[in-house]
């Protein structure tokens, strides 16, 4: 079941408040701790609070701080995007969301208001946010002043756009719909919208919800309240500019009209008040006087003597500009607008199938963890129990830049290996003295532990003919020295490979760090960060042609690694055949490996043989392996040999733009990990953090 919903729209004034109230009411019936989170709000700090957040926190008395319930103001997001710093936007939003998620059982996320005019930009970042938070989208749109065909087309386009952006669709709610169109619209939705089992609902328009109060109008127009201050909660359903004489304007009066007229038209004021009292004319909401003019003293005396009078306001602007400005007044449901709240909840409960909505929330498939969320969780996990990582390639700029980032965010403690003078000069030239000035730099041959490490190597490898001279020679090598630091407990893990081959990096670990008890083979995985999820590929880097027993062990190790990094393991044992249909030595090896792995770890979902398309695509899985718990939903992919695995991960990386994090070694007593020689700074950061998390489990 999902633990969040992303409530969003594609246009302003769609009625998100009504739907958010209904969702919150539904959630609180079964979930004790519910949070509300708006990634981007429009209200700057000097203009008060975001009305949606304030409504939900206040009305439901949520145990949340307002400051924790949003990440950015809309102008901040616009500035950062313009500066090319969009990644910072997503990272901060994820960071703030995770804090709230940790405190709550469920989080209701509410998208931006689309009031800035940059609809395409807002749509893109709302879709990005929903996907990265792993929150299914409940779309809210307005049916006001639109035909059935227009509404259907709008909903179709919106759903397709969110799905193309990698979002899950929970459903769509068409709000503020003409009541006369309800039946036709519901029928059209059933006939024309995609059969995705998503929830589609239609809520009729109600003047009471969309109409501002006289107080809201007064606040927006900066108006003075001259009379009737006790009735400022009157609702203005419409505006009527009065320039005619009494006999001509009276037929235009409508229920709950706000009359706009020059301040010197006492005749309009008095006649409107009399019409309001008459059973033959509609009740008005109030009167707005323009031009800064007030009724003369004689009329004022009359008005102040009335015991029941509608609000009469005064503004400085002329009638024309007042009429133009007042069209921008919007009504919001405030926490003390109890009648509007009750009406909203009644409408939601009456027109939204809440039972079906709950079922849909439960039934949504787990889409796994997104790349940004994976990286965020990784860094936070590494920081939670800080480890000491040694980096043998201290003279590589990428290593130093990554080290600075890691120290800046206090992720790990570090030791750099290499020539201290050379590395110190590089640190200075790169402007990293502040971050790396206190990081130890060790030249192995100058270390007081140099001979002790060599002696330890002799003891560990004397059965292989190792002597002191040979050991001293090997300990002069940064990879051997760094690995010995890990072996001796002087560091918790090592990351190398930016300038060395994989063999150079892992050979020392294989020689004397060795494998964990019960593990016979060292293997590797890549974390494949696709656009919308992170998958685990094993083994694509170490073992050329594992036998069935080894393949089973790789599968179990890879599942454990996935789980260690918050990826729920559904293990697909890959082959050229799915299920029982295939024959041949290669497929039999996979079938046997699957059987061994299942016997060894019955608690894991492990299935095979299975083809890659059946492992990842639900429609293919439904045809080839309809009863499978793994097919179509696999998160861990075990390749039958190095040739297949290495080519596949590189093909996926190149063709999809996926980021391959790894190889991450598994099965060693202590963590040692390899970098690609073409690695980026971020690759180094990620691999160090992974190594630190592995070290926490030792």
């Amino acid at each position: 079941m999902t633990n969040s919903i992303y409530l969003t729209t594609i246009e302003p004034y769609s009625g998100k408040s009504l739907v958010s109230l209904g969702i919150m009411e539904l959630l609180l019936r079964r979930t004790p701790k519910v949070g509300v989170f708006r990634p981007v709000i429009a209200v700057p700090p000097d203009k008060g609070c975001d009305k949606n957040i304030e409504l939900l926190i206040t009305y439901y008395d949520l145990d949340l701080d307002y400051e924790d319930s949003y990440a950015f103001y809309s102008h901040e997001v616009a500035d950062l995007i313009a500066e090319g710093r969009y990644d910072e936007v997503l990272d901060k939003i994820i960071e703030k969301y995770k804090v709230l998620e940790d405190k709550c059982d469920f989080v209701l996320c509410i998208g931006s208001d689309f009031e800035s005019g940059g609809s395409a930009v807002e749509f893109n970042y709302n879709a990005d946010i929903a996907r990265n938070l792993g929150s299914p989208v409940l779309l809210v749109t307005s049916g006001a002043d639109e035909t059935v065909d227009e509404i259907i087309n709008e909903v179709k386009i919106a759903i397709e756009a969110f799905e193309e952006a990698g979002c899950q669709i929970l459903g769509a709610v068409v709000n503020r719909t003409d009541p006369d169109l309800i039946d036709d619209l519901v029928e059209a939705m059933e006939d024309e919208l995609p059969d995705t089992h998503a929830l589609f609902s239609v809520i009729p328009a109600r003047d009471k919800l969309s109409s501002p109060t006289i107080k809201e109008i007064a606040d927006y127009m900066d108006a003075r309240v001259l009379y009737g201050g006790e009735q400022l909660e009157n609702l203005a359903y419409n505006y009527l500019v009065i320039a005619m004489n009494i006999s001509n304007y009276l037929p235009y009066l409508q229920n709950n009209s706000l009359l706009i007229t020059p301040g010197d038209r006492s005749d309009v004021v008095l006649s409107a008040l009399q019409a309001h009292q008459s059973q033959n004319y509609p009740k008005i909401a109030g009167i707005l006087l323009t031009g800064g003019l007030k009724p003369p003293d004689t009329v004022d005396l009359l008005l102040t003597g009335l015991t029941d009078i509608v609000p009469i306001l005064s503004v400085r602007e002329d009638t024309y500009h007042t009429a133009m400005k007042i069209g921008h007044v919007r009504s919001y449901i405030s926490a003390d607008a109890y009648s509007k709240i009750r009406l909203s909840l009644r409408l939601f409960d009456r027109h939204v199938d809440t039972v079906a909505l709950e079922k849909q929330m439960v039934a949504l498939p787990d889409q796994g963890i997104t790349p940004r969320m994976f990286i965020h969780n990784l860094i936070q996990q590494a920081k939670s129990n800080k480890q000491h990582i040694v980096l043998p390639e201290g003279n590589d700029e990428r290593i130093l830049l990554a080290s600075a980032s890691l120290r800046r965010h206090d992720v790990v403690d570090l030791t750099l290996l290499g020539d201290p003078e050379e590395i110190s000069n590089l640190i200075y030239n790169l402007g990293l003295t502040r971050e790396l000035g206190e990081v130890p730099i060790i030249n192995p041959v100058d270390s007081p532990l140099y001979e002790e490490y060599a002696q330890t190597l002799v003891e560990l490898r004397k059965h292989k003919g190792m002597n002191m001279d040979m050991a001293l020679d090997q300990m002069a090598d940064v990879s051997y020295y760094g690995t010995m630091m890990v072996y001796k407990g002087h560091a918790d893990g090592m990351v190398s490979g930016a300038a060395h081959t994989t063999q150079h990096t892992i050979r020392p670990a294989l020689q004397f760090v060795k494998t964990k008890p019960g593990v016979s083979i060292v293997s590797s995985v890549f974390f494949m960060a696709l656009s919308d999820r992170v998958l685990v590929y094993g083994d694509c880097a170490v073992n050329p042609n594992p036998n069935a027993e080894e393949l089973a062990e790789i599968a179990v190790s890879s599942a454990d690694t996935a789980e260690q990094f918050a990826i729920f393991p559904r293990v697909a044992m890959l082959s050229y055949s799915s299920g029982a249909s295939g024959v041949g030595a290669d497929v039999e090896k996979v079938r046997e490996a699957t059987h061994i792995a299942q016997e060894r770890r019955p608690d894991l979902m492990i299935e095979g043989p299975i083809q890659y398309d059946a492992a990842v695509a639900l429609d293919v899985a439904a045809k080839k392996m309809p009863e499978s718990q793994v097919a179509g939903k696999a998160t861990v992919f075990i390749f039958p040999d190095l040739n297949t695995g290495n080519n596949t991960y590189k093909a996926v990386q190149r063709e999809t733009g996926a980021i391959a994090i790894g190889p991450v070694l598994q099965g060693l007593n202590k963590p040692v990990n390899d970098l690609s020689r073409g690695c980026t700074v971020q690759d180094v950061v990620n691999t160090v953090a992974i190594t630190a998390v592995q070290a926490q489990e030792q």
Side-chain angles (χ1 to χ4, degrees):
M1 177 179 169
T2 182
N3 66 346
S4 65
I5 291 175
Y6 198 90
L7 190 66
T8 189
T9 182
I10 56 172
E11 59 188 343
Y13 317 119
S14 295
K16 293 195 300 295
S17 295
L18 183 154
V19 180
S20 65
L21 281 165
I23 295 291
M24 185 64 71
E25 189 82 12
L26 178 65
L27 292 170
L28 287 170
R29 290 174 194 166
R30 60 174 180 80
T31 308
K33 185 75 172 176
V34 181
V36 58
F37 180 62
R38 297 205 70 181
V40 183
I41 62 175
V43 182
D46 59 333
K47 300 293 185 181
C49 296
D50 177 84
K51 296 186 184 305
N52 229 184
I53 296 175
E54 189 177 37
L55 166 64
L56 296 174
I57 289 180
T58 304
Y59 183 74
Y60 288 106
D61 194 24
L62 302 179
D63 184 20
L64 296 173
D65 291 331
Y66 175 76
E67 295 295 327
D68 294 336
S69 295
Y70 69 92
F72 285 103
Y73 302 111
S74 55
H75 72 272
E76 293 175 323
V77 172
D79 291 344
L80 288 168
I81 291 174
E83 295 169 11
R85 298 164 62 188
Y86 181 53
D87 286 351
E88 293 180 32
V89 174
L90 293 177
D91 288 342
K92 182 177 176 180
I93 287 170
I94 289 172
E95 182 180 345
K96 294 213 65 173
Y97 170 82
K98 290 296 291 185
V99 171
L100 200 58
E101 185 188 54
D102 290 342
K103 297 178 181 177
C104 302
D105 303 306
F106 199 102
V107 180
L108 172 59
C109 303
I110 304 173
S112 62
D113 291 322
F114 284 82
E115 294 180 15
S116 64
S119 296
V121 173
E122 280 195 60
F123 173 84
N124 288 336
Y125 69 63
N126 275 285
D128 267 355
I129 294 166
R131 184 181 70 250
N132 279 287
L133 298 184
S135 302
V137 169
L138 182 62
L139 176 69
V140 182
T141 187
S142 173
D145 304 319
E146 292 187 348
T147 66
V148 169
D149 287 343
E150 288 170 338
I151 295 169
I152 291 293
N153 189 53
E154 185 177 277
V155 173
K156 275 184 178 177
I157 292 171
I159 289 174
E160 288 172 2
F162 276 108
E163 287 181 333
E164 286 177 8
C167 299
Q168 283 182 296
I169 299 296
L170 182 60
V173 178
V174 182
N175 200 12
R176 298 179 173 175
T177 306
D178 183 341
D180 294 336
L181 298 180
I182 295 286
D183 291 342
D184 290 342
L185 182 56
V186 170
E187 185 179 345
M189 281 182 154
E190 292 173 353
D191 292 341
E192 298 186 40
L193 291 179
D195 184 18
T196 59
H197 306 291
L199 179 83
F200 298 114
S201 303
V202 182
I203 298 176
R206 290 288 187 268
D207 286 340
K208 185 175 181 177
L209 293 177
S210 58
S211 301
T213 65
I214 300 299
K215 184 179 185 307
E216 287 175 319
I217 293 170
D219 290 344
Y220 186 84
M221 302 295 295
D222 195 23
R224 291 176 59 198
V225 181
L226 302 179
Y227 313 94
E230 67 279 0
Q231 296 188 41
L232 293 179
E233 294 305 311
N234 286 359
L235 296 170
Y237 289 179
N238 53 77
Y239 307 123
L240 185 62
V241 178
I242 306 297
M244 303 175 182
N245 60 37
I246 298 172
S247 60
N248 289 327
Y249 88 76
L250 284 175
Y252 290 95
L253 289 182
Q254 299 177 50
N255 195 43
N256 284 72
S257 294
L258 175 68
L259 310 187
I260 303 171
T261 194
D264 59 358
R265 291 292 303 270
S266 296
D267 58 326
V268 173
V269 173
L270 295 175
S271 59
L273 292 174
Q274 192 146 9
H276 178 75
Q277 297 293 328
S278 172
Q279 295 184 357
N280 297 324
Y281 285 94
K283 302 293 184 184
I284 65 172
I287 302 170
L288 178 59
L289 305 178
T290 64
L293 303 170
K294 298 187 297 183
D297 292 345
T298 51
V299 176
D300 175 69
L301 185 64
L302 189 156
L303 295 175
T304 55
L306 297 176
T307 57
D308 183 22
I309 186 171
V310 298
I312 300 177
L313 313 179
S314 174
V315 294
R316 290 186 174 277
E317 289 92 342
D318 61 44
T319 304
Y320 173 79
H321 288 97
T322 298
M324 295 294 292
K325 184 178 178 181
I326 205 168
H328 297 288
V329 177
R330 299 294 174 185
S331 177
Y332 297 92
I333 304 175
S334 59
D336 57 356
Y338 300 115
S339 63
K340 283 190 175 185
I341 292 172
R342 287 194 294 270
L343 176 58
S344 296
L345 293 174
R346 283 200 305 272
L347 287 170
F348 186 89
D349 205 48
R350 187 178 301 161
H351 295 281
V352 177
D353 188 341
T354 55
V355 174
L357 178 59
E358 284 197 88
K359 287 182 179 177
Q360 180 70 358
M361 288 162 59
V362 172
L364 280 173
D366 180 15
Q367 289 211 285
I369 190 169
T370 62
R372 284 192 178 275
M373 189 66 78
F374 176 80
I375 297 299
H376 172 83
N377 290 347
L378 174 63
I379 297 299
Q380 294 306 308
Q381 197 173 349
K383 291 172 69 172
S384 69
N385 180 10
K386 198 161 60 170
Q387 302 292 298
H388 177 196
I389 307 300
V390 59
L391 302 175
E393 299 161 323
N395 59 347
D396 190 295
E397 287 190 9
R398 295 165 297 174
I399 298 295
L400 295 178
L401 290 166
S403 297
S405 176
L406 290 160
R407 293 301 306 131
R408 194 179 300 121
H409 296 96
D410 200 27
V411 179
V412 292
D413 292 324
L414 293 170
T415 292
L416 300 171
L417 301 185
D419 180 78
E421 185 177 353
E422 178 188 356
I423 295 170
S424 295
N425 287 336
L426 270 172
I427 290 172
Y428 177 80
N429 292 334
L430 292 168
L432 304 176
T433 303
R434 181 178 177 182
E435 294 90 345
L436 302 181
E438 302 299 320
V439 172
I441 305 171
I442 299 174
N443 186 346
V445 297
D446 296 330
S447 166
L449 298 173
Y450 175 50
E451 290 191 5
E452 178 188 326
Y453 283 8
Q455 185 59 52
T456 302
L457 185 60
V458 171
E459 293 169 5
L460 292 170
R461 301 284 292 169
K462 60 186 177 184
H463 64 290
K464 294 289 187 179
M466 179 68 64
N467 59 42
M468 192 62 178
D469 288 338
M470 295 165 62
L472 287 168
D473 185 55
Q474 289 196 340
M475 275 303 126
D477 183 283
V478 288
S479 292
Y480 271 86
Y481 188 93
T483 307
M484 186 60 74
M485 285 182 68
V486 175
Y487 177 80
K488 298 278 284 187
H490 299 153
D492 300 308
M494 184 183 86
V495 173
S496 187
H500 295 91
T501 66
T502 296
Q503 276 298 107
H504 193 102
T505 297
I506 69 174
R507 185 185 297 114
L510 296 174
Q511 288 179 352
F512 55 87
V513 172
K514 298 191 179 294
T515 59
K516 295 178 181 178
V519 176
S520 63
I521 186 172
V522 175
S523 59
S524 73
V525 297
F526 280 94
F527 291 103
M528 298 297 294
L530 281 68
S531 62
D532 58 346
R533 62 196 187 280
V534 178
L535 305 175
V536 177
Y537 283 11
D539 172 0
C540 306
V542 178
N543 297 286
N545 191 24
N547 59 35
E549 181 74 28
E550 292 169 335
L551 199 60
E553 192 163 303
I554 291 169
V556 170
S557 293
S558 300
D560 288 341
T561 298
E563 201 160 29
Q564 189 178 9
F565 292 93
I567 298 171
F568 184 79
R570 297 187 188 92
V571 185
M573 307 292 287
L574 297 176
S575 180
Y576 57 75
S577 168
S578 294
S581 62
V583 295
D586 290 336
V587 74
E588 286 302 325
K589 180 180 80 169
V590 174
R591 188 170 287 121
E592 182 184 354
T594 302
H595 181 68
I596 294 169
Q598 289 170 337
E599 282 195 334
R600 187 175 298 176
R601 290 289 300 277
D603 58 305
L604 294 174
M605 293 184 187
I606 304 176
E607 294 185 17
I610 183 172
Q611 294 161 288
Y612 192 95
D613 59 347
V616 297
L618 285 169
D619 56 339
V620 179
K623 296 175 183 176
K624 293 186 176 183
M625 300 180 72
E627 305 300 319
S628 172
Q629 292 183 297
V630 172
K633 300 175 286 187
T635 56
V636 179
F637 299 77
I638 306 303
F639 293 90
D641 54 66
L642 183 60
N643 183 50
T644 306
N646 194 270
N647 277 294
T648 302
Y649 104 77
K650 288 180 177 177
V652 171
Q653 184 183 30
R654 290 292 179 183
E655 294 302 316
T656 68
I659 299 170
I661 304 171
V664 177
L665 298 185
Q666 52 192 19
L668 288 167
N669 264 316
K670 295 187 177 182
V672 172
N673 280 310
D674 181 39
L675 296 164
S676 162
R677 278 169 285 176
C679 65
T680 65
V681 172
Q682 190 60 50
D683 292 335
V684 180
V685 170
N686 295 342
T687 305
V688 170
I690 285 170
T691 307
V693 173
Q694 288 180 310
Q696 293 171 353
E697 302 293 319
Q698 303 300 314

